[in-house]
Amino acid sequence: MNKYILGAVAGLALSSCNKMDYNEYTAYDHAYIDRNFEYVGGFMTTIYNNLDTDWGNFSGAMLASATDEAEYSTAGNAIEDFYNGAWSPANPRITIWNNAWAGITYCNEMLDNWQGLTFDEFKLNSDYLKKLNQYNNYQYECRWARAYFYFTLVRQYGDLPFKEHNMSGAEEAALTRTSSEEIFDFIDKECAEIQDKITRDYTDLGDLATANVETGRANRLAVMALRAQAALYHASPLFNKNNDSQLWYKAAKACQALVDSCAKDGKKLASTYSSLWASDFYSNSDPAGEIIFARRTAASNSFEGYNFPVGYSSGKGGNCPTQDMVDAYNMTNGKMIGDADSGYDPQNPYTNRDPRFGMTIAHNGDVWPNDITNTAYTSLQTFTGGYHARPRVSYATPTSYYLKKYCNPSQILRSGYSTTSAHGWLTYRLGGAYLDYAEALFQYFKSQGSSNAADATNSEFTKSARQMASMTRQRVNMPALPAGLSNDEFWTRYKNERQVELAFEGHRFYDIRRWKEDGNKFMNIHRMVITPVYAEDGTTIASYNYQTVAVTRGNGQWQDKWNLFPFPQTEILKSGGAIVQNPGW
């Protein structure tokens, strides 16, 4: 047991979540830690620090660069393993496995050994009751975190080893795989059990009513969000092999409960989409009103360093949006660019596009980042030969685009002077909940035989899938999805809306897998090549020529086995064969 305590305490100096201070602790034993509220709270910080984020876990590359959302600017990055054949049980990409399994161990340690403490020597302190209330809530935060860790594992591995209590190393190594069905049932039951016990609002525990308290620690809505998301995954084709309509019904009910509870608690979509990842996301009531749970990290500029344009200070180019991602943004009239009457002009491609495009992606001519005006150029040049493009600058964007989302445009990276700011990974937010609900509703009514499942309602579900899928569009003044779409037409439009609204938030990597469709889109992406057309003087650019170029990754063919991750060969060997590898690996 002490090895878990030592490991946890050693991690307490890492960046923390809301209301948990950045402290340094020495490795002490159980008796030392349980003598003080703060020491137990510090152990909780370690648990929160194991929750997943994607700030460029592959030497700057996000999972987005293994999808059709982006291409990483530096060739040879490990992110390419996901599509070039180098991914294997010997090279299993185990960040989630390691973090989640460690998180489960810490949660079990907390739940098994640190419950029922009263901290008697502090009873005369004025803040004793408040801190005791916080401590008593930790057990529910732990159970939420443990269920969340299991969710991150089941979405990657399907059937997997399961432990609800810690055990000896030999016992743990001998664990066989528990079915994904049982894992999803565990998550659902845990969430059902704790959602009315965990605090609804951290002001209930005596904290000051501040937005950052609400977005960085699990509360009732975070529990409901996990329950709804897990139910959606459980109902999806990867896990719902027989298309059981009851799983879609269960998902719809869980999503409905979350959306309704958000409304009762005053949650609403942020008025400005880009405010969700602004540096004040945790203190500004507008984004905080949409965010259900954000995994906060300490102030930093590393994400901007990875993703700011090459040619600007120390920017490395990073995760460069593909032309496929750009093409997903509709015209402002609500039509997809491939529609004959959309008004899309291939030689004027960035005009009259969904406003989320300009908030998410930097294109040729943008002023990005803000500090670019303090350099030799006043706007972004991603045309061939431009200051921020190839071949003038090595490792510049291969797609002609740079990433804005999650970057602070005011961050300064100049030599001798730089700034840092807070960042929050958007684990759960209301916009995503609306889209999850839309999908569950649509698939449920479709499974009931409806040929117009997008518009279907009944006495239990009075809002349609189309209405729910249109909420995120209407936030940016885009037209609602049209009524009367066939099931195939709506599914195409829904997937497109989900790709746009949740871009670079880590969903698409898993969506394609759980849907078991569109995998080849990850293998065959597109770039934009922008060629300047010069005026007669030979130096002034009169216009640009835009040409889309196809790029094949690997052999261009998605493999079904990639829908699930391979178990690490070391874990299989340690288990003595108790863990059976996923098919195809």
Side-chain angles (χ1 to χ4, degrees):
M1 179 182 69
N2 280 347
K3 68 179 181 180
Y4 302 130
I5 299 173
L6 293 173
V9 176
L12 298 182
L14 299 177
S15 58
S16 70
C17 59
N18 302 327
K19 297 296 285 181
M20 296 187 182
D21 298 331
Y22 304 140
N23 292 322
E24 291 187 3
Y25 293 80
T26 307
Y28 290 100
D29 62 12
H30 189 293
Y32 182 86
I33 294 174
D34 69 13
R35 63 188 274 195
N36 190 298
F37 288 109
E38 281 71 25
Y39 298 158
V40 180
F43 196 88
M44 284 299 303
T45 298
T46 298
I47 291 172
Y48 275 105
N49 281 337
N50 275 279
L51 299 177
D52 63 316
T53 61
D54 189 6
W55 299 119
N57 295 336
F58 294 85
S59 300
M62 305 168 73
L63 286 178
S65 288
T67 75
D68 55 353
E69 290 180 311
E71 182 179 0
Y72 200 65
S73 62
T74 304
N77 186 280
I79 198 67
E80 296 172 9
D81 291 352
F82 285 111
Y83 52 78
N84 68 8
W87 191 22
S88 71
N91 181 29
R93 296 295 152 216
I94 57 174
T95 299
I96 291 290
W97 172 272
N98 288 341
N99 288 346
W101 200 246
I104 290 166
T105 299
Y106 294 142
C107 287
N108 285 341
E109 173 66 23
M110 184 76 167
L111 293 168
D112 289 348
N113 295 298
W114 283 336
Q115 299 308 304
L117 303 178
T118 56
F119 307 97
D120 290 345
E121 65 264 45
F122 297 100
K123 282 186 175 179
L124 297 181
N125 288 9
S126 60
D127 60 354
Y128 173 77
L129 290 179
K130 183 184 84 168
K131 289 190 173 182
L132 187 64
N133 284 339
Q134 291 174 337
Y135 162 75
N136 287 331
N137 192 64
Y138 287 158
Q139 62 182 302
Y140 306 119
E141 293 179 71
C142 258
R143 290 174 68 180
W144 171 84
R146 182 175 61 181
Y148 179 81
F149 290 132
Y150 273 119
F151 168 71
T152 63
L153 287 172
V154 75
R155 75 180 176 186
Q156 288 195 176
Y157 297 97
D159 303 351
L160 56 97
F162 175 83
K163 61 175 184 177
E164 200 168 352
H165 301 280
N166 286 338
M167 54 189 67
S168 70
E171 290 173 322
E172 184 174 309
L175 287 172
T176 58
R177 293 174 65 179
T178 297
S179 72
S180 60
E181 183 82 17
E182 293 175 86
I183 300 294
F184 280 117
D185 284 346
F186 169 79
I187 295 169
D188 184 70
K189 289 174 182 175
E190 275 290 271
C191 291
E193 173 68 21
I194 68 174
Q195 72 179 37
D196 292 326
K197 295 178 180 177
I198 196 169
T199 184
R200 184 187 189 101
D201 183 315
Y202 276 91
T203 58
D204 294 344
L205 303 185
D207 290 346
L208 295 175
T210 56
N212 70 339
V213 172
E214 297 302 318
T215 59
R217 290 175 67 182
N219 61 12
R220 183 171 183 267
L221 289 180
V223 173
M224 298 181 77
L226 170 58
R227 189 180 187 188
Q229 186 182 56
L232 182 71
Y233 271 67
H234 190 190
S236 298
L238 181 60
F239 302 104
N240 184 10
K241 296 178 174 59
N242 298 319
N243 195 28
D244 182 352
S245 65
Q246 282 303 112
L247 291 181
W248 286 117
Y249 173 79
K250 186 175 179 179
K253 290 299 291 183
C255 291
Q256 181 187 55
L258 171 62
V259 168
D260 288 349
S261 291
C262 283
K264 289 178 182 177
D265 287 1
K267 287 286 186 184
K268 59 182 180 180
L269 294 178
S271 60
T272 304
Y273 176 64
S274 58
S275 71
L276 290 165
W277 59 88
S279 58
D280 64 349
F281 72 95
Y282 60 92
S283 59
N284 184 331
S285 61
D286 188 42
E290 177 171 347
I291 296 170
I292 297 171
F293 182 85
R295 165 72 161 81
R296 289 186 64 196
T297 54
S300 170
N301 61 22
S302 60
F303 191 74
E304 287 79 9
Y306 282 134
N307 292 287
F308 272 179
V310 168
Y312 163 73
S313 192
S314 57
K316 297 177 181 177
N319 301 275
C320 301
T322 63
Q323 188 60 41
D324 308 87
M325 188 69 239
V326 172
D327 288 348
Y329 292 91
N330 294 175
M331 302 298 288
T332 52
N333 59 18
K335 297 182 182 296
M336 300 179 76
I337 66 168
D339 292 352
D341 57 349
S342 68
Y344 175 69
D345 180 0
Q347 292 305 312
N348 192 19
Y350 311 131
T351 301
N352 297 326
R353 302 296 291 274
D354 182 327
R356 290 171 292 186
F357 166 60
M359 300 180 197
T360 306
I361 297 171
H363 62 79
N364 186 54
D366 267 351
V367 176
W368 178 263
N370 294 348
D371 193 48
I372 201 171
T373 56
N374 287 313
T375 63
Y377 26 82
T378 58
S379 63
L380 203 56
Q381 297 183 4
T382 63
F383 56 84
T384 302
Y387 282 112
H388 314 98
R390 302 179 182 186
R392 180 188 290 266
V393 184
S394 298
Y395 308 119
T397 172
T399 65
S400 296
Y401 304 104
Y402 287 103
L403 180 64
K404 286 184 178 180
K405 193 165 185 178
Y406 276 129
C407 290
N408 177 357
S410 297
Q411 206 85 282
I412 297 173
L413 303 179
R414 277 181 270 156
S415 178
Y417 176 58
S418 63
T419 60
T420 62
S421 59
H423 296 76
W425 186 256
L426 297 170
T427 307
Y428 295 118
R429 62 182 178 90
L430 185 56
Y434 286 147
L435 290 168
D436 286 356
Y437 189 19
E439 181 177 340
L441 281 172
F442 170 72
Q443 294 292 359
Y444 170 65
F445 281 115
K446 182 183 175 184
S447 73
Q448 299 301 295
S450 173
S451 60
N452 182 215
D455 293 313
T457 60
N458 60 23
S459 59
E460 196 169 9
F461 300 115
T462 58
K463 295 285 188 180
S464 71
R466 182 183 64 83
Q467 288 174 296
M468 299 311 301
S470 296
M471 299 287 281
T472 47
R473 296 171 63 84
Q474 292 170 316
R475 181 239 299 276
V476 291
N477 296 316
M478 288 290 291
L481 294 175
L485 295 172
S486 70
N487 287 347
D488 287 346
E489 288 170 336
F490 176 78
W491 185 235
T492 297
R493 294 301 300 267
Y494 168 79
K495 289 190 294 183
N496 188 86
E497 176 60 22
R498 188 175 180 89
Q499 181 179 5
V500 165
E501 175 68 21
L502 303 179
F504 300 96
E505 293 182 32
H507 292 277
R508 191 158 175 81
F509 182 88
Y510 295 106
D511 282 343
I512 295 297
R513 288 170 162 81
R514 67 181 177 87
W515 291 332
K516 296 188 71 175
E517 58 184 65
D518 296 335
N520 280 341
K521 290 184 178 181
F522 289 2
M523 307 298 293
N524 298 277
I525 62 169
H526 296 82
R527 302 169 175 170
M528 175 65 78
V529 175
I530 306 173
T531 306
V533 178
Y534 291 94
E536 290 184 2
D537 62 12
T539 58
T540 304
I541 297 175
S543 62
Y544 297 98
N545 179 62
Y546 296 87
Q547 182 180 7
T548 299
V549 176
V551 176
T552 299
R553 290 169 162 174
N555 65 5
Q557 295 297 311
W558 179 263
Q559 298 185 43
D560 285 343
K561 70 177 183 179
W562 292 346
N563 289 324
L564 292 173
F565 277 45
F567 280 93
Q569 190 63 33
T570 53
E571 295 298 325
I572 292 177
L573 292 174
K574 275 195 303 184
S575 76
I579 297 176
V580 179
Q581 185 59 271
N582 272 322
W585 291 105

